[in-house]
Amino acid sequence: LGRPNVGKSSLFNKLVGEEMSIVSPIEHTTREPHDITVQIDDLTLTFIDTAGIRRKSKVEKGIEEASVEKTKDALKRADVVLFMIDVSQNITQQDRHLAELIATSDAGIIIIANKWDLIEGKVVETQNEIKRNIYRNFPFMTWVPVYFVSAKTGQHVPKIIDLIKELEKDRSVTVEQEWLNSFIKRATIHHKPMASTGIRRPKILDFEQIQTNPPVFQLRIRQTDTISTQYLRYLENQLREALGIKGSKLWITVKK
């Protein structure tokens, strides 16, 4: 998924090993989400090549408007999103809009920094500088891995399959209750719970995993307590770091 002309169809063709999508510099050559299922090693993958989404003010009525809605539907059924950006250009407001849209889904995310071959004078620090700029523009995606490729030449593209496999393992992680008990104890000692309203600190009664794909954890507090979203983000970051999860969504819900 990405804005028009960032190389989605080129990457799609390289990943599936066939010229299945029309590659053209003309925006919106891809009108319909295009699915193909392939077997790679022991993994069956269905790739969806989507139409690029432009700013709403530029979207034409009729066919293009319908293709944008179908792209959003494709996002809803995706387990993993390869969010493509063009690193040979500055990040645009449309890139930021798409990042926000993807971040609200349950899908795992890999940021594909495409057109790496067009960057001249690359040095060891170049990738780190670009990554820092990406995270500055998408501060809500600092937990998402950034991977540099050239969809046109195929440089680094095969590694994407390994990243998808790793992300799928993270999405299906199951954590033992004993480990969670120890985790929440350490986390609350290091940083005491914060209320969203009032001055009384919330009392955490228990912390458990209630779902996988993506992993969802439930924090139970007293009926009369509140807990701040800032503190929930702290717990999410601590949990993500402790479990070594990158790219997979990880939700913490609150039950009174």
Side-chain angles (χ1 to χ4, degrees):
L1 201 151
R3 60 185 171 86
N5 212 26
V6 294
K8 296 184 297 301
S9 293
S10 295
L11 180 66
F12 180 76
N13 290 335
K14 283 290 191 298
L15 286 169
V16 302
E18 299 178 46
E19 293 297 317
M20 299 293 294
S21 287
I22 299 169
V23 178
S24 168
I26 301 171
E27 289 187 357
H28 274 273
T29 305
T30 303
R31 291 290 193 177
E32 297 277 333
H34 185 169
D35 294 22
I36 183 170
T37 299
V38 294
Q39 186 76 27
I40 300 177
D41 300 328
D42 58 342
L43 198 62
T44 302
L45 297 172
T46 298
F47 289 101
I48 311 169
D49 183 21
T50 64
I53 299 180
R54 297 196 290 175
R55 291 200 306 272
K56 192 171 183 179
S57 61
K58 289 191 174 183
V59 172
E60 297 173 6
K61 295 289 184 182
I63 295 175
E64 184 180 350
E65 190 175 50
S67 71
V68 168
E69 289 307 312
K70 289 180 180 179
T71 294
K72 291 179 179 179
D73 288 338
L75 173 59
K76 291 177 184 177
R77 61 189 173 95
D79 296 305
V80 176
V81 172
L82 304 180
F83 174 37
M84 295 190 70
I85 59 174
D86 181 349
V87 293
S88 69
Q89 300 179 0
N90 292 329
I91 290 174
T92 67
Q93 183 58 39
Q94 183 61 5
D95 289 319
R96 285 187 282 271
H97 169 70
L98 288 172
E100 290 171 359
L101 182 67
I102 294 166
T104 62
S105 75
D106 279 340
I109 309 166
I110 303 170
I111 296 174
I112 303 296
N114 190 32
K115 305 190 182 181
W116 176 237
D117 56 306
L118 299 182
I119 305 298
E120 297 180 356
K122 293 188 284 281
V123 295
V124 175
E125 183 61 20
T126 305
Q127 284 194 5
N128 290 332
E129 289 177 0
I130 293 174
K131 281 183 182 180
R132 285 193 289 269
N133 182 53
I134 289 170
Y135 290 142
R136 276 195 299 270
N137 280 276
F138 313 141
F140 44 84
M141 278 190 176
T142 54
W143 47 274
V144 175
V146 177
Y147 189 61
F148 292 80
V149 306
S150 169
K152 183 178 180 180
T153 67
Q155 182 185 21
H156 301 152
V157 168
K159 174 70 175 175
I160 292 174
I161 303 300
D162 294 329
L163 295 175
I164 291 171
K165 288 180 178 180
E166 291 171 16
L167 206 157
E168 183 61 21
K169 287 180 181 178
D170 287 346
R171 280 174 55 81
S172 57
V173 69
T174 302
V175 186
E176 295 291 335
Q177 186 60 48
E178 185 178 351
W179 188 94
L180 285 173
N181 293 342
S182 177
F183 164 80
I184 198 67
K185 184 178 180 180
R186 293 194 308 271
T188 52
I189 288 174
H190 182 262
H191 184 11
K192 292 182 179 180
M194 298 165 53
S196 58
T197 58
I199 59 173
R200 189 176 72 177
R201 293 188 184 277
K203 171 70 174 178
I204 295 176
L205 303 176
D206 58 46
F207 187 57
E208 61 180 346
Q209 184 174 6
I210 59 173
Q211 183 186 308
T212 60
N213 293 314
V216 179
F217 300 85
Q218 183 174 268
L219 195 70
R220 194 161 61 91
I221 62 177
R222 291 182 301 197
Q223 183 69 36
T224 56
D225 288 351
T226 64
I227 194 162
S228 72
T229 54
Q230 181 182 351
Y231 192 77
L232 292 178
R233 282 197 297 271
Y234 156 75
L235 287 180
E236 179 186 328
N237 292 336
Q238 291 294 306
L239 188 58
R240 187 181 293 283
E241 183 177 346
L243 294 174
I245 290 179
K246 295 179 180 179
S248 172
K249 299 303 285 288
L250 187 158
W251 301 103
I252 297 179
T253 65
V254 178
K255 181 179 180 181
K256 290 195 176 187

